[in-house]
């Protein structure tokens, strides 16, 4: 890749914008990556990078990725909070790059929770998919 | 010790963000013999007394209640001690803080450098009100980019598509340094 200038970046952005205006839906999924000392040490940046990569590979739009400091769950870092419209808000623990890719495929795209990495869960029946 | 020099850099730049800096400058100069990193901010700064305390791993500034440890700066000193590097912190309350460190890239105990592309993307898209300028040079080549310029070119940096473009931008500039 040749060195990109800010002007080239701007025009690339403008050409993408045209594609974007045809897209519908304003509901946005949100991914929050814990990026405190503990998160960084546990590999939160690799998870962050994997999210970016996987969402781009699957051409997923309408998703925001933000970062925050320590979530107070240092023992289960990297921790990631995922909020998808019409789904319970979930905090995942021990999210390495592979788990991050699973969250994109199973949770963001497939609308199913990645049950074995849930740290904080809304209710057991939601996790297990039981309605009793 | 952090797993990579980039992890250490991320952690220290976040200190500047958490100090409510309006302007943060991250300068990384790599040569074959030395890695020099300067992180300069105009945040709230520390008194000499607070700075001494901050070097102690069993002290934290109280942003987390009940927490008795804070490892950001101690990780820097540990890395420097173990690899015969040097580090200096200048800070003044109300003025800002400058952290400078030098590392020997050939030292056997130095962690790997790490991925600077994901480091820069992560820091540029960390949500805070101030500006961050990243300067990276390797031998005689260098580039510099600021968060204000990127926001101006792309708009909201937390939107996924913009993040992907930002990553391409940083990647293309990093490739020029090789």
């Amino acid at each position: 890749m040749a060195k990109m200038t800010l002007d080239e970046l701007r025009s690339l952005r403008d050409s993408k914008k045209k594609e974007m205006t045809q897209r519908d839906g304003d509901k946005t999924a949100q991914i929050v990556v814990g990026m405190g000392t503990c998160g960084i040490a546990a590999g939160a940046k690799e998870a962050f990078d994997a999210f970016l990569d996987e969402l781009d590979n699957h051409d997923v739009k309408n998703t925001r990725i933000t970062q925050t400091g320590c979530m107070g769950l240092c023992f289960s870092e990297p921790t990631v909070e995922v909020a998808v419209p019409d789904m319970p808000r979930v905090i995942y623990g021990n999210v390495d790059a592979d788990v991050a890719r699973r969250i994109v495929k199973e949770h963001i795209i497939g609308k199913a929770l990645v049950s074995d990495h849930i740290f904080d869960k809304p209710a057991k029946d939601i996790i297990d998919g039981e309605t009793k | 010790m952090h797993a990579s020099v980039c992890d250490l850099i991320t952690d220290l730049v976040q200190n500047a963000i958490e100090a409510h800096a309006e302007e943060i400058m991250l300068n990384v100069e790599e040569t074959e013999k030395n890695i020099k990193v300067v992180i300069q901010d105009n945040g709230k700064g520390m008194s000499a007394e607070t700075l001494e305390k901050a070097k102690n791993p069993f002290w934290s500034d109280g942003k987390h209640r009940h927490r008795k440890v804070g490892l950001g700066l101690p990780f820097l000193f540990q890395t420097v001690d173990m690899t015969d590097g040097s580090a200096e912190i200048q800070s003044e309350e109300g003025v800002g803080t400058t952290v400078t460190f030098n590392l020997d890239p050939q030292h056997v105990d130095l962690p790997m450098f790490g991925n600077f592309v994901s480091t820069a993307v992560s820091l540029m898209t960390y949500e805070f009100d101030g500006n961050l300028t990243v300067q990276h040079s390797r031998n005689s080549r260098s580039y510099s980019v600021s968060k204000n310029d990127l926001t101006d070119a792309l708009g909201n940096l937390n939107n996924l598509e913009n993040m992907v473009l930002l990553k391409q931008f940083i990647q293309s500039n990093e490739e020029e340094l090789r």
Side-chain angles (χ1 to χ4, degrees), chain B residues 1 6 20 35 41 83 90 98-99 103 143 174:
Chain B
M1 197 191 249
C6 279
H20 305 292
I35 301 171
D41 73 63
T83 63
Q90 287 178 319
T98 302
V99 178
L103 298 168
Y143 74 90
E174 281 291 315

Side-chain angles (χ1 to χ4, degrees), chain A residues 13 20 35 45 65 67, chain B residues 7 14 122 158 161-162 173:
Chain A
R13 165 75 198 142
M20 254 174 56
M35 206 57 93
K45 263 199 302 172
I65 305 181
Q67 300 163 72
Chain B
D7 284 353
Q14 275 186 23
S122 151
N158 286 101
E161 289 182 320
N162 290 343
N173 278 278

Side-chain angles (χ1 to χ4, degrees), chain A residues 31-34 39 42-51 71 75-82 90-104 114 116-119:
Chain A
I31 298 170
V32 185
V33 182
K45 263 199 302 172
E46 284 73 23
F48 174 87
D49 212 35
F51 273 121
M71 293 196 202
F75 49 89
S76 69
E77 291 291 342
T79 42
V80 174
E81 186 173 353
V82 180
V90 180
I91 295 176
Y92 288 110
N94 301 314
V95 182
D96 59 17
D98 288 342
V99 177
R101 287 177 196 281
R102 277 184 61 201
I103 291 172
V104 171
V114 183
D116 54 332
H117 277 271
I118 287 176
F119 175 80

Side-chain angles (χ1 to χ4, degrees), chain B residues 26-163:
Chain B
L26 165 65
N27 192 357
V28 181
E29 283 173 36
E30 288 181 72
T31 64
E32 260 140 59
K33 294 199 172 106
N34 191 45
I35 301 171
K36 181 182 182 189
V37 180
V38 182
I39 297 152
Q40 187 174 22
D41 73 63
N42 64 352
K44 64 184 176 186
M46 291 175 280
S47 64
E49 200 187 337
T50 309
L51 178 55
E52 264 327 294
K53 285 186 198 159
K55 293 176 181 174
N56 179 353
F58 300 104
W59 183 86
S60 177
D61 67 355
K63 71 186 170 203
H64 301 286
R65 278 169 67 220
H66 310 307
R67 185 172 300 179
K68 296 191 177 80
V69 294
L71 295 176
L73 286 179
F75 273 160
L76 169 63
F77 291 111
Q78 183 193 26
T79 307
V80 163
D81 282 349
M82 286 178 71
T83 63
D84 303 323
S86 66
E88 188 197 1
I89 303 170
Q90 287 178 319
S91 191
E92 195 178 329
E93 261 179 304
V95 177
T97 301
T98 302
V99 178
T100 307
F101 60 93
N102 287 281
L103 298 168
D104 174 2
Q106 294 175 357
H107 197 286
V108 68
D109 286 331
L110 190 76
M112 60 187 176
F113 184 76
N115 183 345
F116 196 77
V117 176
S118 65
T119 301
V121 173
S122 151
L123 290 173
M124 284 296 181
T125 56
Y126 202 101
E127 281 183 305
F128 70 106
D129 293 334
N131 184 34
L132 167 69
T133 304
V134 172
Q135 252 182 38
H136 190 189
S137 69
R138 192 173 288 143
N139 299 320
S140 59
R141 291 157 183 259
S142 74
Y143 74 90
S144 164
V145 64
S146 77
K147 190 176 168 180
N148 283 351
D149 288 345
L150 290 166
T151 310
D152 188 44
L154 290 171
N156 180 357
L157 296 180
N158 286 101
N159 163 306
L160 181 73
E161 289 182 320
N162 290 343
M163 269 188 183

